[in-house]
Amino acid sequence: MSQNLYPLQFEPILKERIWGGEKLKTILNKPIVSKITGESWELSTVQGDVSVVANGVFKGKSLMDLIDETPDAILGTKVYERFGKQFPLLFKYLDAREDLSIQVHPNDKLAKERHNSFGKTEMWYVMQADADARIIVGFKEDSSKEEYLKHLHDNTLVSILDDVKAKSGDVFFLETGTVHAIGAGLVVAEIQQTSDITYRLYDFDRVDAQGNKRELHVDLALDAINYNKVDTQKKYETKVNTSNTVVDCPYFTTNFLPLENKLEVAKNGETFTVYMCIEGDFEIEYEGFKQAYKKGDTVLVPAAINAFNLSGKASILEIYIS
C-alpha cells in the first residue's frame, strides 16, 4: 500500500461546546450546523473520535486502519520506533465565542498512571482575534498550592492568573501543568499530544441549557499544576519560503512557513508531516498527485512521501516529530 500513498485529508470531527460559536464556518468554512460549535478536530486517533479519510482512493478508511497496515510508511521510521502504532498528535481548530474554562493538563507520568494516556503539551496559533481578546496563561507571580486553594475557595482565582492580550499571529506554548484558558473572541489552531485529559478548575459559574454546571476536577488538578510563573509566548521569524521554527519540543516541532510561489520539499522518511493552512491557499504536487488547500484545511503527508512541491501564496504551519 505504501506505493499508493498520497497526501491525506480527513473529515472534520465537529464538537459542540458551551463556549462555541459559528466562526469555524464563517472564517474556516467548516460544515457546522450548530451555533455553539467550538472545535473541529482535524486529525485524531482519540478513542471514539478517529479521523476518516476524505480524499482519494482511501476515502472512508480510518487513520488507525492505515497506520495498522503500513505504520512505517504513514508515521515514519523514527516515530514508529518511539510510539509504535499510536498516532502521537492531535490537531484542532477552536472558536471561542465565550471564555473557555480555566483548566490544566497532566504530564505524561500522571496521565499514564491515572488515565493510561499521554499527557497534553500543546500550542496555540491565533488565527483571528477580536478587539481586546485575551488568554489566561499561568500565574502572575510564583504561587503555591495553599494560595491557589484559598483564591479558588474565595472565587478570586482569576485575580492571581496572568492575563495576556492576544492578536492574530501570536503563538503560545503550554507545557503540561500550565493553568490556562482561551478567552472569548479567538479562533486558534491547536497542536497537542494525543490526549483528551483536561482538569477543569473554574468555569465562571456557567450552566448549560439544562441549568447544570460542568464538572470540576479540583482534587485531580492539585498535583498536576505548575505553581511557578511561566513564559508561554513564542517569537519567531517570518522568512519567505523558509520553515521558521516556532516550537521545538520533545513532542512536536512546529514551523511557520510563508509560502510564495513554489517550494521543493525533501523529507527523510523518519516522520510524517502535517500542514495546517492558516491563511491563503496552496497546492501540493507529488508524482501526478495535485490538490489545492485553503485556509482552515489540514493535510497529512505520510512519511513515505520523501519529495514533493508546494506552490501558491499562503501562511502554513508545518508540524512533524523531530
Side-chain angles (χ1 to χ4, degrees), residues 41-59:
W41 290 22
E42 298 289 296
L43 191 45
S44 166
T45 54
V46 172
Q47 188 173 2
D49 287 301
V50 176
S51 292
V52 172
V53 178
N55 68 317
V57 296
F58 298 127
K59 183 175 181 177

Side-chain angles (χ1 to χ4, degrees), residues 54-246:
N55 68 317
V57 296
F58 298 127
K59 183 175 181 177
K61 201 174 184 73
S62 81
L63 176 56
M64 287 301 300
D65 285 345
L66 287 175
I67 292 172
D68 192 54
E69 291 171 22
T70 54
D72 270 2
I74 298 289
L75 298 172
T77 53
K78 192 173 180 179
V79 176
Y80 181 39
E81 181 180 332
R82 180 176 169 189
F83 295 102
K85 292 183 178 181
Q86 298 179 91
F87 191 77
L89 299 179
L90 173 59
F91 298 83
K92 304 176 181 177
Y93 295 112
L94 289 84
D95 167 24
R97 179 180 53 85
E98 297 180 1
D99 293 338
L100 275 67
S101 63
I102 296 173
Q103 57 192 243
V104 72
H105 306 300
N107 60 26
D108 282 346
K109 183 174 183 293
L110 276 179
K112 179 68 174 175
E113 289 173 357
R114 294 175 176 176
H115 314 284
N116 194 30
S117 170
F118 291 126
K120 189 176 174 183
T121 296
E122 62 187 329
M123 65 155 279
W124 302 327
Y125 178 93
V126 178
M127 297 182 68
Q128 186 270 329
D130 293 350
D132 299 322
R134 59 47 166 143
I135 64 166
I136 290 171
V137 275
F139 293 90
K140 288 180 180 176
E141 304 295 341
D142 288 354
S143 186
S144 66
K145 189 179 294 187
E146 293 73 26
E147 182 183 37
Y148 156 76
L149 284 171
K150 178 183 184 302
H151 282 278
L152 189 65
H153 180 267
D154 293 344
N155 217 26
T156 55
L157 178 60
V158 175
S159 69
I160 62 170
L161 299 179
D162 203 9
D163 190 296
V164 181
K165 187 169 181 179
K167 65 182 185 304
S168 178
D170 282 350
V171 171
F172 298 90
F173 175 62
L174 290 87
E175 295 185 270
T176 55
T178 304
V179 175
H180 62 273
I182 296 175
L186 292 172
V187 174
V188 305
E190 181 175 280
I191 298 143
Q192 59 160 95
Q193 291 176 269
T194 291
S195 171
D196 200 27
I197 308 300
T198 294
Y199 297 155
R200 193 178 296 121
L201 310 177
Y202 179 62
D203 200 28
F204 304 97
D205 297 318
R206 281 183 293 209
V207 296
D208 62 20
Q210 287 72 45
N212 300 313
K213 290 184 179 181
R214 294 194 292 174
E215 181 184 4
L216 300 181
H217 312 95
V218 175
D219 291 339
L220 283 171
L222 286 177
D223 293 334
I225 293 173
N226 176 6
Y227 294 96
N228 297 319
K229 180 178 172 62
V230 293
D231 183 14
T232 59
Q233 192 160 2
K234 292 289 186 180
K235 304 296 182 185
Y236 56 95
E237 298 286 330
T238 57
K239 294 177 182 175
V240 172
N241 284 357
T242 301
S243 294
N244 301 279
T245 302
V246 182

Side-chain angles (χ1 to χ4, degrees), residues 11-27:
E11 299 289 349
I13 301 169
L14 303 172
K15 301 280 189 179
E16 286 191 344
R17 297 291 188 245
I18 195 171
W19 41 261
E22 298 180 88
K23 286 183 181 176
L24 294 180
K25 180 177 182 178
T26 58
I27 294 178

